[in-house]
Every structure is written in C-alpha cells, then in structure tokens.
Amino acid sequence: MDTLGLAVRDPSPVGQDLWRTLCADATRVAAEEKTLRVFLNESVLSHDCFGSALAALLVRKLADRVMPADRLAVTVEAAMEADPGIVQSAAADLAAILARDPAADSCLTPFLYFKGYHALQWHRVAHWLWGQGRHNLAHFLQSRVSETFAVDIHPAVPVGRGVFIDHGTGVVIGETAVIGNDVSILQNVTLGGTGKEHGDRHPKVRDGVLLAAGAKVLGNIVVGAHAKVGAGSVVLKDVPGCATVAGIPARIVGWCRDEVAPALSMDQSLQQGDYSI
C-alpha cells in the first residue's frame, strides 16, 4: 500500500521478476544519488508490488488541479483490479523496452522516465473505461495524455502486449486502428484515416511489425505480421507479411525473412540495392 491508498494485485511471474529487478535498481541508485532518495522511495521502494508502483507513478504523472491524484487513483485502481491484464501488459511492455532499446540502461530508467511507456499504460486504463461505456472519462484521459506526453491514442484502440513506443512524441493513432503484440512504434508515427469518412477507417497493425520514425499509415489497411515500414514512408495500401516498404507512396523494397521480427530486432535500415539516395 502506498500514500495514495492504491492496492493493486501482483501481476504475472514476468511482472514479479521485473519488480525484483526494479527494486534492486532503485536501491542502488538511491545509494549513489542522495538527491533522488525521496523520489525513488515514493516511486518504487515504498510499494509492495509492480502494479502498485505503476499505478502510483501514472497518477502522479497526470494529476493536476482539476483532476487531483486521489480521483485518478480511484480510476486506475478500479481498472487494474477489474482487468489484471492491464498490469500484465505493462510488465510485458517494460520487458520489451529492456530488450529493444539500448538507451534503457536499467529497468528503472524506462519505468520512471520514458513517456512513450507512460502514455501507453494510461491508454490501457482509458481503453478499459471505453469498454465500460465511460467514454467521457476515457476522452478526458486521452486529452490529458496528449497534453502531457505528446502521444494521442484514441481510447477505443485495442493494443497487444510487448508494445514499445520509443520516444513517443508525435504518435497519433486513430479510433478504429488495431495494434497487435510485439509491435515497435517510433516517434511521429501516424495511424490515421484518409479523409472524413466514418466507420472502420484506420490501419490494422499485426504482430511483430516495426513502424520506423515518421511513418504514416493511412486508411483501413493491414500491415501484415513481421513487416517493416521505413522511416518517413507514407503507406496507403495493404503491406504483406514480412515485407519491407519505404517511400512516398510506399512500395515493397525487400523482405524480412529472418526468424526475428523487425519489431524485435529494431533494424530500421533498408536492404542495400533496393533504393538510392
């Protein structure tokens, strides 16, 4: 239990392993940097599980005068208690960052400081609210997340586990988009529509896809599993599974046939010989 009164159950064994690592990292840093001791105690060491620490961290990141921490805490706790998958997915997302991002020098760093991670976990709470028919509060959270983290994801969007939003700034994901498991999304990626049409109008991104920096994927199209979208590309048609696409408009420039999905390898390069500068 923490100072906000949050009581969130322990997640999966993956989350419990991360929690032990997180506590060890926080203890080490607190010993090295006295200025951070109070912060680290409130953020990690005063909690008894990963879910409790995550909930309290998210609340502190978003609370303001009109929506104070105690009100947000009630919402977050209700969501995490009703759907344990929120905490389990958050643990998988953190593990994904550690596996894919060389800037993550410890478990503690992305947990405390990576706003792409924080925005995604708030989205999971907003998505739960959306599913409960509480659309107004879900939209409120979407707006606050956009203002605070510069990440704008419609609360209706289902997102899989092991998703990595790197940097986060400028990411926009529209209402009828779908994000699969083990997807990596870099800064300034847009999953948008092509006009003012209603209905199912946004992309469906399958498992293991890498969306490189600045990629724009527009319309009710499918980016197949293990595909790669090159930086700055504009995708207007379906992308076959394992294809590498690049350009404006994007075209197939190669194939990702390796066992490791592009989202996991994080290799944003394009095959030599398939393009010119």
Side-chain angles (χ1 to χ4, degrees):
M1 187 78 69
D2 71 291
T3 55
L4 289 172
L6 286 157
V8 179
R9 287 179 238 161
D10 282 312
S12 64
V14 173
Q16 293 171 15
D17 289 341
L18 281 171
W19 176 241
R20 286 189 285 270
T21 302
L22 195 61
C23 288
D25 288 344
T27 300
R28 173 181 54 79
V29 173
E32 295 172 352
E33 183 56 76
K34 295 179 180 179
T35 305
L36 293 176
R37 284 181 180 176
V38 172
F39 169 64
L40 292 170
N41 186 64
E42 291 185 0
S43 299
V44 178
L45 298 174
S46 65
H47 299 273
D48 57 9
C49 70
F50 177 78
S52 174
L54 175 66
L57 178 69
L58 294 179
V59 167
R60 284 195 295 273
K61 288 285 183 179
L62 222 57
D64 63 6
R65 181 181 59 82
V66 299
M67 186 60 73
D70 57 345
R71 293 183 196 170
L72 283 177
V74 171
T75 299
V76 173
E77 183 176 11
M80 291 181 174
E81 284 296 305
D83 182 5
I86 292 174
V87 177
Q88 293 165 6
S89 295
D93 297 339
L94 185 56
I97 296 173
L98 295 173
R100 302 175 209 171
D101 189 356
D105 54 5
S106 69
C107 189
L108 188 68
T109 299
F111 179 78
L112 292 178
Y113 306 126
F114 283 17
K115 65 190 182 75
Y117 178 73
H118 301 150
L120 179 55
Q121 307 325 314
W122 263 120
H123 169 73
R124 296 192 186 283
V125 174
H127 182 65
W128 177 81
L129 289 167
W130 189 266
Q132 300 300 305
R134 300 173 67 183
H135 291 185
N136 288 309
L137 183 53
H139 277 308
F140 173 86
L141 292 178
Q142 176 193 5
S143 176
R144 286 288 293 127
V145 167
S146 180
E147 293 170 357
T148 305
F149 304 122
V151 176
D152 195 346
I153 308 175
H154 193 284
V157 176
V159 179
R161 297 185 182 186
V163 173
F164 173 30
I165 301 181
D166 193 13
H167 299 291
T169 301
V171 170
V172 177
I173 301 177
E175 178 183 11
T176 59
V178 176
I179 309 295
N181 298 312
D182 300 318
V183 171
S184 291
I185 302 172
L186 279 82
Q187 68 271 21
N188 289 315
V189 164
T190 298
L191 302 179
T194 57
K196 62 179 183 178
E197 71 276 8
H198 293 276
D200 195 355
R201 61 196 184 278
H202 296 109
K204 314 299 180 279
V205 178
R206 304 307 188 203
D207 295 353
V209 168
L210 171 61
L211 301 174
K216 315 300 177 188
V217 186
L218 307 176
N220 183 16
I221 60 177
V222 174
V223 181
H226 292 206
K228 180 197 299 187
V229 178
S233 300
V234 177
V235 183
L236 302 172
K237 297 180 180 179
D238 288 347
V239 177
C242 297
T244 297
V245 299
I248 303 175
R251 61 183 179 86
I252 296 175
V253 298
W255 298 89
C256 305
R257 300 297 192 188
D258 296 336
E259 292 183 5
V260 178
L264 305 184
S265 67
M266 294 296 292
D267 179 6
Q268 297 186 64
S269 64
L270 303 178
Q271 286 82 351
Q272 296 296 318
D274 291 326
Y275 71 102
S276 60
I277 298 178

